[in-house]
Amino acid sequence: QKEVEQNSGPLSVPEGAIASLNCTYSDRGSQSFFWYRQYSGKSPELIMSIYSNGDKEDGRFTAQLNKASQYVSLLIRDSQPSDSATYLCAVRVDTGRRALTFGSGTRLQVQP
Amino acid sequence: ETGVTQTPRHLVMGMTNKKSLKCEQHLGHNAMYWYKQSAKKPLELMFVYSLEERVENNSVPSRFSPECPNSSHLFLHLHTLQPEDSALYLCASSLGSGGLGSGANVLTFGAGSRLTVL
Protein backbone atom coordinates (compact mmCIF):
# COMPACT_ATOMS: atom_id res chain seq x y z
CA GLN A 1 0.00 0.00 0.00
CA LYS A 2 1.32 3.42 -0.95
CA GLU A 3 1.91 5.73 1.99
CA VAL A 4 0.14 8.65 0.33
CA GLU A 5 -2.40 8.06 -2.43
CA GLN A 6 -3.94 10.47 -4.88
CA ASN A 7 -6.00 10.00 -8.03
CA SER A 8 -3.70 10.97 -10.88
CA GLY A 9 -6.50 12.58 -12.90
CA PRO A 10 -6.75 14.61 -14.92
CA LEU A 11 -9.60 16.23 -13.04
CA SER A 12 -11.38 18.56 -15.41
CA VAL A 13 -13.71 21.27 -14.10
CA PRO A 14 -15.29 24.30 -15.80
CA GLU A 15 -14.16 27.78 -14.88
CA GLY A 16 -16.00 29.04 -11.80
CA ALA A 17 -16.75 25.56 -10.44
CA ILE A 18 -15.42 23.96 -7.26
CA ALA A 19 -12.51 21.59 -7.73
CA SER A 20 -12.19 18.85 -5.12
CA LEU A 21 -8.86 17.07 -4.73
CA ASN A 22 -8.52 14.08 -2.43
CA CYS A 23 -5.68 12.31 -0.67
CA THR A 24 -5.51 9.31 1.66
CA TYR A 25 -2.58 8.25 3.81
CA SER A 26 -1.67 5.01 5.50
CA ASP A 27 0.14 6.02 8.71
CA ARG A 28 -2.29 6.82 11.53
CA GLY A 29 0.45 8.63 13.41
CA SER A 30 0.79 11.29 10.72
CA GLN A 31 0.72 14.78 12.17
CA SER A 32 1.26 17.33 9.42
CA PHE A 33 -0.40 17.62 6.03
CA PHE A 34 0.40 19.85 3.10
CA TRP A 35 -0.81 20.70 -0.36
CA TYR A 36 1.71 21.79 -2.94
CA ARG A 37 0.94 23.11 -6.41
CA GLN A 38 3.28 22.33 -9.31
CA TYR A 39 2.92 24.01 -12.65
CA SER A 40 4.30 22.15 -15.65
CA GLY A 41 8.06 22.56 -15.79
CA LYS A 42 8.19 24.30 -12.40
CA SER A 43 8.99 23.24 -8.85
CA PRO A 44 6.35 22.54 -6.19
CA GLU A 45 5.13 25.50 -4.13
CA LEU A 46 3.27 25.28 -0.83
CA ILE A 47 -0.32 26.48 -0.90
CA MET A 48 -1.86 25.02 2.27
CA SER A 49 -0.90 23.28 5.49
CA ILE A 50 -3.23 21.67 8.03
CA TYR A 51 -2.49 20.01 11.35
CA SER A 52 -5.82 19.40 13.11
CA ASN A 53 -9.15 17.87 12.16
CA GLY A 54 -11.63 20.11 10.39
CA ASP A 55 -11.43 22.80 7.76
CA LYS A 56 -8.86 25.49 7.14
CA GLU A 57 -9.65 28.25 4.69
CA ASP A 58 -7.28 30.57 2.86
CA GLY A 59 -8.86 32.66 0.14
CA ARG A 60 -10.35 30.37 -2.50
CA PHE A 61 -8.65 27.33 -0.97
CA THR A 62 -10.01 25.12 1.80
CA ALA A 63 -8.10 22.17 3.24
CA GLN A 64 -10.08 19.50 5.07
CA LEU A 65 -8.58 16.91 7.40
CA ASN A 66 -10.21 13.81 8.86
CA LYS A 67 -7.66 11.81 10.82
CA ALA A 68 -10.13 9.06 11.72
CA SER A 69 -10.66 8.37 8.03
CA GLN A 70 -7.01 9.15 7.15
CA TYR A 71 -8.19 11.57 4.53
CA VAL A 72 -7.20 15.07 3.54
CA SER A 73 -8.73 17.13 0.77
CA LEU A 74 -8.31 20.45 -0.98
CA LEU A 75 -11.24 22.44 -2.31
CA ILE A 76 -10.68 25.24 -4.81
CA ARG A 77 -13.66 27.55 -5.15
CA ASP A 78 -14.31 29.66 -8.24
CA SER A 79 -11.69 27.69 -10.18
CA GLN A 80 -9.66 29.67 -12.68
CA PRO A 81 -7.67 28.48 -15.71
CA SER A 82 -4.57 29.64 -13.81
CA ASP A 83 -5.33 26.94 -11.22
CA SER A 84 -4.54 24.28 -13.85
CA ALA A 85 -1.57 22.42 -12.39
CA THR A 86 -0.63 19.24 -10.57
CA TYR A 87 -1.53 19.26 -6.88
CA LEU A 88 0.70 17.23 -4.59
CA CYS A 89 -0.44 15.98 -1.22
CA ALA A 90 2.39 15.64 1.32
CA VAL A 91 2.39 14.08 4.77
CA ARG A 92 4.86 13.91 7.60
CA VAL A 93 4.44 10.22 8.34
CA ASP A 94 6.70 9.79 11.33
CA THR A 95 7.42 12.20 14.18
CA GLY A 96 11.04 11.07 14.07
CA ARG A 97 11.51 12.21 10.48
CA ARG A 98 11.95 15.66 9.08
CA ALA A 99 11.13 14.91 5.46
CA LEU A 100 7.72 14.75 3.84
CA THR A 101 6.24 11.85 1.90
CA PHE A 102 4.46 12.89 -1.26
CA GLY A 103 1.64 11.45 -3.29
CA SER A 104 2.03 11.20 -7.05
CA GLY A 105 -0.21 14.24 -7.57
CA THR A 106 -3.54 15.01 -9.22
CA ARG A 107 -3.52 16.97 -12.43
CA LEU A 108 -6.26 19.62 -12.49
CA GLN A 109 -7.51 21.17 -15.70
CA VAL A 110 -9.82 24.18 -15.47
CA GLN A 111 -11.66 24.68 -18.73
CA PRO A 112 -12.35 28.32 -19.71
CA GLU B 1 12.69 33.08 -7.14
CA THR B 2 12.09 30.91 -4.07
CA GLY B 3 15.36 31.56 -2.25
CA VAL B 4 16.63 28.09 -3.19
CA THR B 5 18.87 28.15 -6.26
CA GLN B 6 19.86 25.05 -8.21
CA THR B 7 22.50 24.74 -10.91
CA PRO B 8 22.69 23.62 -13.60
CA ARG B 9 19.06 23.74 -14.67
CA HIS B 10 19.68 21.18 -17.39
CA LEU B 11 22.39 18.53 -17.62
CA VAL B 12 23.05 15.86 -20.22
CA MET B 13 25.69 13.31 -19.40
CA GLY B 14 26.97 9.98 -20.56
CA MET B 15 27.03 6.95 -18.34
CA THR B 16 30.78 7.26 -17.73
CA ASN B 17 30.78 10.96 -16.86
CA LYS B 18 31.15 12.52 -13.43
CA LYS B 19 29.12 15.64 -12.73
CA SER B 20 27.67 17.48 -9.76
CA LEU B 21 24.42 19.27 -9.00
CA LYS B 22 24.57 22.29 -6.75
CA CYS B 23 21.98 23.81 -4.45
CA GLU B 24 22.21 27.01 -2.44
CA GLN B 25 19.60 28.45 -0.10
CA HIS B 26 19.39 32.06 1.10
CA LEU B 27 16.56 31.56 3.60
CA GLY B 28 18.50 30.90 6.79
CA HIS B 29 17.17 27.34 6.87
CA ASN B 30 19.13 24.58 8.57
CA ALA B 31 17.88 21.47 6.80
CA MET B 32 18.34 20.59 3.14
CA TYR B 33 16.94 17.79 1.01
CA TRP B 34 17.39 16.07 -2.33
CA TYR B 35 14.25 14.68 -3.99
CA LYS B 36 13.98 12.85 -7.33
CA GLN B 37 10.93 13.41 -9.51
CA SER B 38 10.26 10.99 -12.36
CA ALA B 39 7.26 11.11 -14.69
CA LYS B 40 4.01 9.88 -13.11
CA LYS B 41 5.76 8.87 -9.87
CA PRO B 42 5.71 10.52 -6.46
CA LEU B 43 8.56 12.70 -5.37
CA GLU B 44 11.16 10.32 -3.96
CA LEU B 45 13.22 11.47 -1.00
CA MET B 46 16.92 10.77 -1.52
CA PHE B 47 18.81 12.50 1.28
CA VAL B 48 18.20 14.82 4.21
CA TYR B 49 20.82 16.96 5.93
CA SER B 50 20.15 18.74 9.19
CA LEU B 51 22.83 21.09 10.52
CA GLU B 52 25.19 19.63 7.92
CA GLU B 53 24.73 16.09 9.20
CA ARG B 54 23.05 13.48 7.02
CA VAL B 55 19.98 12.34 8.94
CA GLU B 56 18.10 10.36 6.31
CA ASN B 57 19.21 8.24 3.39
CA ASN B 58 16.56 6.38 1.47
CA SER B 59 18.47 3.42 0.01
CA VAL B 60 19.88 5.47 -2.80
CA PRO B 61 22.44 3.78 -5.10
CA SER B 62 26.03 4.69 -4.35
CA ARG B 63 26.40 6.30 -7.77
CA PHE B 64 24.68 9.27 -6.07
CA SER B 65 26.86 10.91 -3.43
CA PRO B 66 25.63 13.91 -1.43
CA GLU B 67 27.76 16.57 0.22
CA CYS B 68 26.71 19.32 2.59
CA PRO B 69 29.67 21.56 3.46
CA ASN B 70 27.53 24.08 5.35
CA SER B 71 23.89 24.79 6.05
CA SER B 72 23.51 26.91 2.91
CA HIS B 73 25.00 24.57 0.33
CA LEU B 74 24.19 21.07 -0.83
CA PHE B 75 25.71 19.05 -3.64
CA LEU B 76 24.78 15.83 -5.38
CA HIS B 77 27.77 14.17 -7.01
CA LEU B 78 26.91 11.89 -9.91
CA HIS B 79 29.04 9.13 -11.42
CA THR B 80 28.43 6.14 -13.70
CA LEU B 81 24.73 6.87 -13.86
CA GLN B 82 22.19 4.80 -15.75
CA PRO B 83 19.56 6.00 -18.25
CA GLU B 84 16.83 5.28 -15.67
CA ASP B 85 18.39 7.97 -13.47
CA SER B 86 17.14 10.58 -15.91
CA ALA B 87 14.72 12.74 -13.92
CA LEU B 88 14.17 16.12 -12.33
CA TYR B 89 16.28 16.48 -9.19
CA LEU B 90 14.80 18.89 -6.71
CA CYS B 91 16.58 20.49 -3.80
CA ALA B 92 14.56 21.80 -0.87
CA SER B 93 15.24 23.44 2.47
CA SER B 94 13.34 23.92 5.71
CA LEU B 95 13.71 25.70 9.01
CA GLY B 96 14.39 24.35 12.43
CA SER B 97 13.10 21.44 14.39
CA GLY B 98 10.11 23.05 16.01
CA GLY B 99 6.87 21.39 16.94
CA LEU B 100 3.56 21.01 15.19
CA GLY B 101 2.58 24.05 13.22
CA SER B 102 6.10 25.45 13.09
CA GLY B 103 8.02 25.95 9.90
CA ALA B 104 9.93 22.74 10.44
CA ASN B 105 8.03 20.78 7.83
CA VAL B 106 7.47 23.52 5.30
CA LEU B 107 9.73 22.73 2.39
CA THR B 108 10.83 25.40 -0.04
CA PHE B 109 11.94 23.92 -3.35
CA GLY B 110 14.42 25.06 -5.89
CA ALA B 111 13.56 25.09 -9.60
CA GLY B 112 15.19 21.71 -10.12
CA SER B 113 17.94 20.27 -12.28
CA ARG B 114 16.68 18.29 -15.27
CA LEU B 115 19.11 15.40 -15.78
CA THR B 116 19.31 13.28 -18.93
CA VAL B 117 21.61 10.28 -18.95
CA LEU B 118 22.47 8.96 -22.40
Side-chain angles (χ1 to χ4, degrees):
Chain A
Q1 182 186 6
K2 295 179 184 176
E3 291 185 83
V4 180
E5 292 211 46
Q6 296 181 255
N7 187 321
S8 62
L11 172 66
S12 185
V13 300
E15 184 174 355
I18 296 175
S20 177
L21 304 158
N22 304 315
C23 172
T24 58
Y25 58 94
S26 60
D27 190 322
R28 286 196 168 273
S30 300
Q31 296 288 321
S32 309
F33 307 87
F34 304 86
W35 283 99
Y36 281 79
R37 177 176 62 199
Q38 186 174 23
Y39 291 113
S40 181
K42 302 293 186 182
S43 60
E45 57 177 330
L46 179 71
I47 53 172
M48 289 287 285
S49 60
I50 187 166
Y51 304 98
S52 54
N53 280 329
D55 295 0
K56 179 181 177 183
E57 187 175 318
D58 183 1
R60 294 187 297 112
F61 299 97
T62 299
Q64 299 175 316
L65 175 61
N66 184 327
K67 290 187 178 180
S69 301
Q70 294 174 245
Y71 172 95
V72 58
S73 65
L74 179 70
L75 301 178
I76 306 175
R77 289 181 300 281
D78 188 24
S79 296
Q80 302 297 308
S82 59
D83 294 325
S84 298
T86 296
Y87 289 81
L88 305 174
C89 174
V91 177
R92 188 185 186 203
V93 298
D94 185 324
T95 55
R97 294 181 61 193
R98 295 179 64 90
L100 303 180
T101 299
F102 285 82
S104 55
T106 298
R107 189 156 65 92
L108 173 67
Q109 294 177 338
V110 180
Q111 307 294 337
Chain B
E1 183 60 52
T2 65
V4 180
T5 303
Q6 290 188 242
T7 55
R9 293 292 309 278
H10 299 274
L11 177 62
V12 179
M13 58 188 290
M15 290 191 286
T16 58
N17 291 160
K18 289 185 180 181
K19 297 286 185 183
S20 296
L21 306 181
K22 178 182 176 183
C23 178
E24 183 175 358
Q25 59 95 2
H26 307 277
L27 301 170
H29 290 172
N30 57 13
M32 297 187 77
Y33 309 74
W34 281 116
Y35 278 89
K36 175 183 177 183
Q37 188 173 39
S38 304
K40 300 192 186 302
K41 293 176 69 175
L43 280 166
E44 300 172 54
L45 177 68
M46 300 177 74
F47 303 102
V48 183
Y49 277 83
S50 177
L51 298 173
E52 301 149 39
E53 178 183 348
R54 191 189 310 179
V55 295
E56 288 188 52
N57 177 353
N58 267 19
S59 302
V60 178
S62 60
R63 56 186 184 269
F64 295 92
S65 175
E67 179 189 0
C68 188
N70 56 61
S71 59
S72 298
H73 293 85
L74 183 66
F75 295 89
L76 188 62
H77 304 299
L78 316 170
H79 62 98
T80 60
L81 295 190
Q82 304 298 310
E84 61 263 30
D85 297 322
S86 299
L88 181 67
Y89 289 84
L90 289 163
C91 174
S93 67
S94 70
L95 174 66
S97 57
L100 199 63
S102 75
N105 301 139
V106 177
L107 301 183
T108 300
F109 285 90
S113 293
R114 172 70 63 185
L115 173 66
T116 303
V117 182
L118 302 176

